[in-house]
């Protein structure tokens, strides 16, 4: 029998080995059936698909579409393997990993049955609040470009997000714009609503 496949994208403070090996018991307890779980290593020196892994990388770095294309191709290859059910492929991420998941969702290269986002982050910020003057150049424009990319996703049968209003790493003001863009596209495509907790 073909197995479902789940892709996990970790935040900056977590290694993919920790995500899988450190939590496989937790995953096994909540899964209703066996499945394949894979996690990509974040490319060295990158904030996933942004070319700056520093604390301010999500603001000051540049989007590298070729990096997203490489991960997307890797995902396509895994989905096509024997023993994988291509109709049951999910993707989820936390913080910077949720950012990666949204960029990959926007690529539309892999047909997904579900997406989960925790503490979603974006590229740039919707305004300059709290941004040091030396880092302000292009911040709002990067955010607008990012939201533009994700607002063209292909839609999924299930999408859920969780985000705390008090999140200090990814402000609710930005997360709500990101989630709003994803939700509007789901509605436009007549897909089920994005559930936000």
């Amino acid at each position: 029998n073909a197995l479902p496949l789940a892709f996990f994208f970790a935040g900056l403070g977590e290694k993919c080995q920790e995500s899988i090996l450190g939590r496989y018991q937790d995953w096994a307890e909540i899964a209703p059936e066996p499945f394949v779980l894979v996690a990509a290593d974040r490319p060295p020196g990158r904030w996933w698909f942004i070319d700056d892994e520093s604390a301010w990388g999500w603001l000051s770095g540049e989007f590298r579409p070729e990096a997203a294309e490489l991960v997307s191709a890797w995902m396509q290859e895994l989905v096509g393997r024997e023993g994988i059910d291509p109709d049951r492929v999910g993707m989820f991420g936390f913080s910077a990993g949720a950012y990666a998941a949204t960029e990959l969702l926007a690529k539309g290269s892999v047909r997904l049955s579900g997406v989960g986002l925790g503490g979603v982050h974006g590229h740039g910020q919707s305004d300059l609040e709290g941004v040091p003057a030396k880092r302000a150049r292009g911040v709002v424009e990067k955010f607008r470009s990012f939201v533009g990319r994700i607002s063209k996703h292909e839609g999924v049968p299930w999408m859920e997000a969780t985000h705390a209003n008090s999140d200090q790493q990814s402000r609710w003001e930005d997360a709500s714009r990101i989630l709003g863009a994803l939700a509007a596209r789901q509605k436009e495509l007549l897909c089920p609503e994005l559930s936000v907790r």
Side-chain angles (χ1 to χ4, degrees), residues 3 9 37 41 46 77 85 92-93 114 123 150 157 162 176 185:
L3 295 173
F9 295 90
L37 175 63
D41 265 333
R46 301 243 171 149
E77 197 278 325
D85 183 346
F92 62 109
H123 182 201
I150 66 170
T162 181
S176 65
R185 182 65 171 161

Side-chain angles (χ1 to χ4, degrees), residues 23 28-29 34-35 81 86 90-91 122 167-168 177 189-190:
R23 294 191 189 138
E29 286 179 21
F35 69 103
R81 288 192 178 186
M91 174 173 62
D167 191 323
Q168 298 298 306
R177 285 180 171 90
L189 296 170
L190 304 177

Side-chain angles (χ1 to χ4, degrees), residues 12-196:
L12 292 188
E14 189 173 29
K15 304 271 188 242
C16 77
Q17 282 184 324
E18 295 167 1
S19 303
I20 303 278
L21 298 177
R23 294 191 189 138
Y24 77 93
Q25 297 277 88
D26 298 331
W27 304 121
E29 286 179 21
I30 61 170
E33 64 183 303
F35 69 103
V36 176
L37 175 63
V38 295
D41 265 333
R42 183 174 46 87
R46 301 243 171 149
W47 211 90
W48 282 104
F49 311 128
I50 300 170
D51 64 3
D52 183 342
E53 74 173 347
S54 72
W56 294 98
W58 58 281
L59 291 176
S60 58
E62 298 298 326
F63 174 59
R64 298 295 179 211
E66 70 279 1
E69 289 165 12
L70 180 64
V71 173
S72 186
W74 168 75
M75 291 172 68
Q76 287 176 314
E77 197 278 325
L78 291 176
V79 170
R81 288 192 178 186
E82 186 176 334
I84 298 298
D85 183 346
D87 294 323
R88 296 192 299 162
V89 177
M91 174 173 62
F92 62 109
F94 177 74
S95 190
Y99 156 75
T102 60
E103 292 281 16
L104 292 164
L105 176 63
K107 299 264 341 134
S109 302
V110 175
R111 187 168 47 93
L112 298 165
S113 56
V115 173
L117 306 168
V120 69
H121 229 294
H123 182 201
Q125 189 169 291
S126 62
D127 57 37
L128 296 177
E129 183 182 326
V131 177
K134 68 180 184 177
R135 304 208 183 269
R137 187 174 61 78
V139 166
V140 173
E141 294 78 9
K142 289 173 186 175
F143 189 79
R144 285 185 189 136
S145 292
F146 165 67
V147 171
R149 289 191 299 275
I150 66 170
S151 67
K152 296 176 183 143
H153 71 84
E154 298 295 317
V156 290
W158 180 86
M159 189 183 308
E160 184 169 302
T162 181
H163 199 95
N165 292 346
S166 59
D167 191 323
Q168 298 298 306
Q169 298 299 312
S170 176
R171 301 176 321 155
W172 174 246
E173 294 87 345
D174 296 326
S176 65
R177 285 180 171 90
I178 294 165
L179 299 174
L182 295 170
R185 182 65 171 161
Q186 285 284 103
K187 186 175 182 178
E188 179 183 339
L189 296 170
L190 304 177
C191 292
E193 283 186 33
L194 164 65
S195 171
V196 179

